[in-house]
Structure formats: structure tokens, C-alpha cells
Amino acid sequence: PVAALSYGGYSEYGIEPARTALRVPRVAPEIVALLTSGLTASIALEQAGRVAAGEVVLVTAAAGGTGQFAVQLARAAGCRVVATCGGARKAALLQELGAERVIDHTRESVKDVLKREYPRGVDVVFESVGGQLFSTALDALAPRGRLIVVGMMSAYGGGWAASSHPGLAEKLLWKSAACVGFFLLRHAPLFRPHLARLIGMWEAGQLRVAIDPRVFRGLGSVFDAVDHLQGGGSVGKVV
């Protein structure tokens, strides 16, 4: 069995060049999650976040397909993890995954918690929500912190409208901080070693792969699956 990360995944059939096909041990939903979400978290934390043991890592949308891996991999690197989510089921998952502090934004203010409990700031932010949460995370950066832009889920429903974050340059400047965009397909040379590591951790029981319990089968279910994902009710990876 092999897997691919090419465009055109919403198709019954496709042609994949052998040089870009990735060997996988078996066909399973967990492999799908490790391919896209696992690779994003693993490579982004290493290349863009440059995480180091002892640092505080903030992961937004942490109970989603990608966030769950960012939480676990940051912990495996010796970091302290702060995780945001929306809802009790998601908060329970994140506590099981070992987050030091879980912030359920439906019950408390992310901004207030970060200001009160992490006054020194956070060293790395793994950010995939955008909008106001991006601004909150930016303000919470510690000196020489790194904010990784993995996505902007809050804007996907209505298209990628231009966002405005006044003072971005100034906030980065005086903290000597960085804001780094991360797009997985720009890092193709790293796919094989990172995927091998992720699959090895999963098979050894060192990495949990949470799959959303709602089942979607066939191409006709793609629309419902995307609606479910963007509706914010999913827990784990939607497959």
C-alpha cells in the first residue's frame, strides 16, 4: 500500500508518480490522519517552531485533526502545552493527551487565562483558527517567541478574505518574535522521514490518533464531511 498527498483527493481514481508515492504499512483511517495532520504538526513544530524542551507551546483548535498531534509531539519534545478548544468532549480528549492547561473557550476567556497564568508569555504558538484568536496568541508571545500560522479555520466558510491585524510589525519587532507561515506541500523532502517517525510512534503506542466518530463513506459524503468539520463539532480527525 502507498499513499499520496497530491491535489485531486476528492476523486475516485488518480495517477500518482511513483517518486512521490509514500509507502505505508497498511490502509487505515489512522494513516490518513498521520499523512496530512501528523506531518503538518511534526514538520511545523520542528522547522517553523524550532521547539525546545522546557518551552511553553500554545496549540489552538487543539482537539482537531492536526492540533491533537501538535499537543502530543510538543509534549514528547519536553514542552509544556497549553491547548484551546470549544466544548467539554474536546477538553476531555486534550486532558487525556496530556495538555498542561486546557482552555475551553466556551467556558472561559483564552486571553484572560493566558494573561493570568502565563504572564511571561508562550514561546511557540501552533495557530490554525485565525481572526481574533490569532491576535490573542500574538499578544501572548514571549520575547523571541515563534507564532506558526498553520491555517485560519474561522475564515474558510466565507472564503479567504483579507484580514487586518494592526500593529503586527511593531509587536513582533519589540519582542524579537517571529510569525511564520506553514504550508505542508512546501516541505515535501521531509515527508518520508517524518512519516516513518510518526508511524513508528503510533505502532509503539507512543502517539494516539483520535478519529472523529462520525462515519463518512464515498465521494457523495464529502460535502457533509466538510460541513461537519467547519461546523466545529468534530473531535479528532474527520475521515
Side-chain angles (χ1 to χ4, degrees):
V2 296
L5 284 166
S6 302
Y7 287 109
Y10 292 161
S11 309
E12 269 191 275
Y13 299 99
I15 297 175
E16 183 70 17
R19 63 181 176 80
T20 57
L22 301 169
R23 289 184 181 273
V24 294
R26 55 188 167 279
V27 177
E30 290 82 0
I31 296 293
V32 174
L34 291 175
L35 274 169
T36 53
S37 299
L39 284 176
T40 295
S42 182
I43 299 173
L45 288 174
E46 176 189 276
Q47 297 291 310
R50 308 187 309 279
V51 295
E55 292 188 314
V56 178
V57 177
L58 169 65
V59 181
T60 65
T66 306
Q68 62 168 316
F69 297 118
V71 169
Q72 295 179 80
L73 294 173
R75 283 196 67 239
C79 299
R80 300 164 57 200
V81 179
V82 184
T84 76
C85 67
R89 287 172 59 227
K90 298 183 181 187
L93 170 63
L94 292 171
Q95 289 184 335
E96 292 172 10
L97 297 182
E100 172 184 284
R101 177 65 159 93
V102 178
I103 309 173
D104 179 353
H105 65 75
T106 66
R107 300 171 63 90
E108 53 187 341
S109 164
V110 175
K111 181 178 181 178
D112 291 348
V113 170
L114 292 174
K115 198 170 186 179
R116 180 177 65 250
E117 300 182 21
Y118 298 89
R120 194 192 70 80
V122 297
D123 300 293
V124 178
V125 180
F126 186 90
E127 216 292 284
S128 60
V129 178
Q132 183 55 51
L133 194 49
F134 172 90
S135 296
T136 297
L138 176 66
D139 289 340
L141 270 184
R144 300 183 69 179
R146 290 85 70 198
L147 191 158
I148 314 168
V149 179
V150 183
M152 51 206 76
M153 180 62 75
S154 63
Y156 291 163
W160 286 29
S163 56
S164 176
H165 296 285
L168 174 61
E170 292 82 358
K171 291 176 181 180
L172 294 174
L173 173 63
W174 80 270
K175 291 183 178 180
S176 284
C179 180
V180 185
F182 181 86
F183 187 63
L184 181 61
L185 296 184
R186 300 288 186 190
H187 299 267
L190 298 174
F191 287 177
R192 284 185 172 84
H194 277 261
L195 184 60
R197 173 189 173 226
L198 291 168
I199 291 175
M201 291 177 69
W202 171 54
E203 292 183 325
Q206 300 168 345
L207 186 69
R208 178 173 169 184
V209 181
I211 303 294
D212 186 80
R214 185 168 169 183
V215 177
F216 299 95
R217 297 190 189 282
L219 292 183
S221 68
V222 165
F223 307 100
D224 292 335
V226 172
D227 280 345
H228 178 57
L229 175 64
Q230 294 187 347
S234 60
V235 179
K237 180 68 174 177
V238 175
V239 177

